[in-house]
Amino acid sequence: MTTTLPPAPDTATAPAATKPRPTVPVHVRPVIRFRSSRPDLLLCFGLLAVILLVQGWNITHFPTLSDDEGTYLAQAWAVQQGDGLAHYTYWYDHPPLGWVQIAALTWLPSLIAPETMTVATMRFAMLLVSAACAVLLYVLARRLFLPRWAAALAMLLFGLSPLSVVLQREIFLDNIAVMWMLLAFCLAASPSRHLWHHFAAGLAAATSVLTKETMLVVLPALLVTMWRHSHRDTRKYAVTGAVTACALIGLAYPLFALLNNELFPGPGHVSLIDGITYQMGREGSGSIFDSGSGSHGVFTSWLYYDRVLPLGGLAGAALLLVTLRWSVTARALAGPALAVAILAVVAMRPSGYLPAMYVIQALPFLALVLAGGAASVAHAVLRRPVDRPAAPIQARPRLRGGVPGGAPDQGPQSRSRLGIGVRHVVAGLLALAAAAYVVPSWYDGNRDALTVDANAPYRAAASWMQNEVADPASTRVLVDDALWLDLVHDGFEPGTGAIWFYKADLDPAVTKTMPRGWRDLDYVVSSPTVRRDAVDLPNVKAALEHSKPVAVFGDGEDRIEIRRITGGER
């Protein structure tokens, strides 16, 4: 039996409905398993070695030791010694979890060599935090579907920007809080989408906020990331679990204050409400757009070190947010882009307080969205248009003698190959132009961090106090917290012998040991911080006015003077 097949339809005359349509390729993004991807592991840890080398080089000499660093480390020392949550009365200025973690990071070296528990040497502990942040950022970039080169770019932007090299070296709570927030984002974008990953993201976020409470403003961006990367069937459970876990851990702080009868203000004790009131009521530093304001000075100092990451990151966030409807990359990075937008809006408050370390919280998100913006631009430049069905190619007739009158028309293929080549050339030129701008700028910005010794005056002052004061146990000295631990190791009495200069006016437990005010002091170590803040501290101001320098180290505004109190013999 013979079966006759129907004739194939003539595509030239067939109805439009039967004509073959061009198919648009569907790109399914692979799930990135970082721990099992050898190229990712090699690239990430190779870049990590470079970052740690740059950040660790000259770390004890630059930047200048700050009073905030000394305060956090002194509080960590008090935790290690079992003397409470601070080296003076803990007054709920910040949650204590931040310096408890610093105490854990510095516990082993302080146990082996107690005299090394000083600000300069303990900066090496921050390299562990920087390493964790850099790796987490790479993992997050890959989980948000950035290509490998873009993830590497984000890691380099975050680790080698002069802003990062300077600020990530310092013992700031912000650096530790950023590490926990990056962990929360990695868990929220977990490719496995397990519920426990999202619960753990809530726990990590709460830990970040309890390390530095200003990370609270980033939580909406974390929620967006979790919403976009969780499975729709379990999304409500994931988000509910994460929010519950974050809230329950966060409530541990007010519960701690309540159990100590220090939640509400009252006579004779500190309170959490007083601490929050102080922080919220701090005098604003003005608008960053006002050239005479403190906020503008802080913003200018950021740009002095690096313009690429702050301004480029803002531009990248704007690009991603504007193209959210059309760009897959923008949708994947919606959370980090929102984090940049929120942090920028908070920084631009006209009457807010803008500390210099605030930008630390934005650095990883700026790097991520800048790399994401670069990936979007590269994709737009390099992607091929959808191929259209070409007309049938007909060979031209040969001329007499067998000489071909023309080869088959290869125009569309040739033009396609030419277009691909042009796009690659354009992409290469853009990459070279970016590198030509960034590399010299970062070289200049990092040169001081790698070569300058800004802490020689502090070391000289500490050495003078150690060698020239005959009886440190009975000597009373006003000093900033950058030198406080040095003096404690040299035999000065913690708290009442070596006195953090603020406490001479603000802590009743200290002022009651100074019935004659400045006359009960022997020395004041006049650092830039002490001279700047003495205006509002009567005892400190009087000590400076009734003292004379016996040793001066450095010059200009950065000098450190050892001043002996005159007219106040005890």
Side-chain angles (χ1 to χ4, degrees):
M1 180 177 179
T2 304
T3 303
T4 304
L5 298 177
D10 185 357
T11 57
T13 61
T18 63
K19 286 185 177 181
R21 296 181 179 179
T23 57
V24 178
V26 178
H27 300 284
V28 179
R29 291 183 168 184
V31 174
I32 304 300
R33 302 289 182 182
F34 178 75
R35 62 181 180 274
S36 59
S37 174
R38 177 172 294 182
D40 282 297
L41 289 171
L42 291 175
L43 178 60
C44 177
F45 287 103
L47 296 177
L48 180 62
V50 175
I51 290 171
L52 292 181
L53 177 63
V54 173
Q55 292 196 5
W57 194 272
N58 201 45
I59 191 172
T60 61
H61 292 169
F62 193 93
T64 305
L65 304 179
S66 73
D67 190 65
D68 285 336
E69 286 186 278
T71 299
Y72 300 141
L73 189 62
Q75 289 169 325
W77 173 85
V79 171
Q80 290 177 349
Q81 299 296 311
D83 293 337
L85 293 176
H87 55 319
Y88 287 95
T89 303
Y90 173 61
W91 58 283
Y92 295 93
D93 52 335
H94 294 294
L97 183 59
W99 53 86
V100 169
Q101 295 174 76
I102 294 174
L105 287 172
T106 59
W107 173 75
L108 188 59
S110 68
L111 183 66
I112 298 173
E115 69 279 359
T116 64
M117 188 70 174
T118 59
V119 176
T121 54
M122 285 304 162
R123 280 180 172 176
F124 282 105
M126 300 310 295
L127 289 179
L128 298 176
V129 177
S130 295
C133 288
V135 173
L136 287 171
L137 183 64
Y138 185 93
V139 172
L140 178 59
R142 296 293 280 151
R143 288 188 172 185
L144 297 181
F145 306 113
L146 287 185
R148 189 174 291 122
W149 69 264
L153 176 62
M155 189 174 179
L156 287 175
L157 288 169
F158 173 70
L160 297 183
S161 165
L163 264 178
S164 299
V165 172
V166 172
L167 293 175
Q168 290 181 25
R169 292 177 168 191
E170 299 187 76
I171 306 172
F172 287 146
L173 303 181
D174 307 72
N175 285 315
I176 303 176
V178 162
M179 176 185 70
W180 286 106
M181 190 56 73
L182 285 174
L183 177 60
F185 270 83
C186 286
L187 291 167
S190 170
S192 300
R193 297 179 175 180
H194 292 313
L195 287 178
W196 77 264
H197 287 169
H198 299 124
F199 297 162
L203 296 177
T207 304
S208 176
V209 173
L210 290 179
T211 300
K212 189 63 181 287
E213 63 273 24
T214 51
M215 293 300 293
L216 186 68
V217 300
V218 182
L219 293 185
L222 175 65
L223 189 61
V224 168
T225 298
M226 186 177 299
W227 184 269
R228 287 193 170 275
H229 293 271
S230 57
H231 195 281
R232 63 180 181 181
D233 293 338
T234 58
R235 182 171 293 148
K236 59 183 180 180
Y237 304 107
V239 173
T240 301
V243 171
T244 302
C246 184
L248 288 177
I249 298 301
L251 288 174
Y253 185 42
L255 179 61
F256 168 79
L258 180 63
L259 294 176
N260 284 280
N261 195 30
E262 293 176 343
L263 179 60
F264 301 103
H269 68 82
V270 297
S271 73
L272 174 59
I273 300 299
D274 282 336
I276 294 175
T277 301
Y278 169 80
Q279 294 289 4
M280 298 297 292
R282 297 179 73 169
E283 182 180 358
S285 51
S287 170
I288 62 173
F289 302 108
D290 179 5
S291 59
S293 68
S295 294
H296 181 80
V298 169
F299 182 67
T300 303
S301 70
W302 297 342
L303 298 185
Y304 169 80
Y305 282 106
D306 184 21
R307 292 178 176 268
V308 175
L309 189 54
L311 301 183
L314 288 174
L319 174 65
L320 294 175
L321 292 175
V322 168
T323 60
L324 198 61
R325 292 183 58 186
W326 308 286
S327 171
V328 177
T329 300
R331 289 193 291 272
L333 292 173
L338 179 60
V340 171
I342 294 173
L343 290 168
V345 169
V346 172
M348 290 188 289
R349 291 174 302 161
S351 60
Y353 174 69
L354 187 64
M357 67 283 295
Y358 177 81
V359 73
I360 293 174
Q361 302 172 31
L363 289 176
F365 303 110
L366 289 168
L368 194 57
V369 298
L370 180 53
S376 292
V377 172
H379 180 66
V381 172
L382 294 176
R383 68 179 177 181
R384 295 180 58 182
V386 177
D387 293 332
R388 297 179 178 177
I393 300 174
Q394 299 179 356
R396 297 179 181 177
R398 293 177 177 271
L399 298 179
R400 187 180 305 174
V403 180
D409 184 10
Q410 300 293 331
Q413 291 86 345
S414 299
R415 286 194 295 271
S416 177
R417 286 193 294 269
L418 179 61
I420 293 174
V422 170
R423 288 193 292 272
H424 279 84
V425 169
V426 171
L429 290 176
L430 289 175
L432 287 175
Y437 176 77
V438 172
V439 172
S441 173
W442 280 12
Y443 176 80
D444 291 336
N446 282 325
R447 182 166 49 192
D448 287 349
L450 300 177
T451 59
V452 171
D453 185 1
N455 292 320
Y458 270 103
R459 292 197 305 274
S463 178
W464 192 96
M465 296 299 296
Q466 179 184 25
N467 298 319
E468 300 298 329
V469 177
D471 186 13
S474 60
T475 303
R476 308 190 74 182
V477 185
L478 287 184
V479 66
D480 68 21
D481 259 355
L483 281 174
W484 190 85
L485 275 173
D486 292 81
L487 269 61
V488 168
H489 294 322
D490 292 338
F492 291 82
E493 185 67 23
T496 56
I499 303 173
W500 185 23
F501 73 102
Y502 287 112
K503 301 300 181 178
D505 284 284
L506 302 179
D507 193 336
V510 176
T511 56
K512 71 180 182 181
T513 68
M514 300 170 51
R516 299 192 306 152
W518 61 269
R519 295 177 180 83
D520 289 319
L521 302 171
D522 298 299
Y523 292 93
V524 56
V525 180
S526 174
S527 66
T529 303
V530 173
R531 292 191 294 271
R532 182 193 65 205
D533 294 343
V535 178
D536 301 318
L537 302 170
N539 277 330
V540 179
K541 182 179 180 181
L544 290 173
E545 292 173 347
H546 295 86
S547 62
K548 62 180 181 180
V550 294
V552 179
F553 307 101
D555 52 26
E557 293 295 326
D558 296 329
R559 72 188 185 282
I560 295 181
E561 301 173 347
I562 310 293
R563 302 181 68 92
R564 191 192 307 274
I565 305 295
T566 57
E569 290 77 6
R570 289 183 285 161

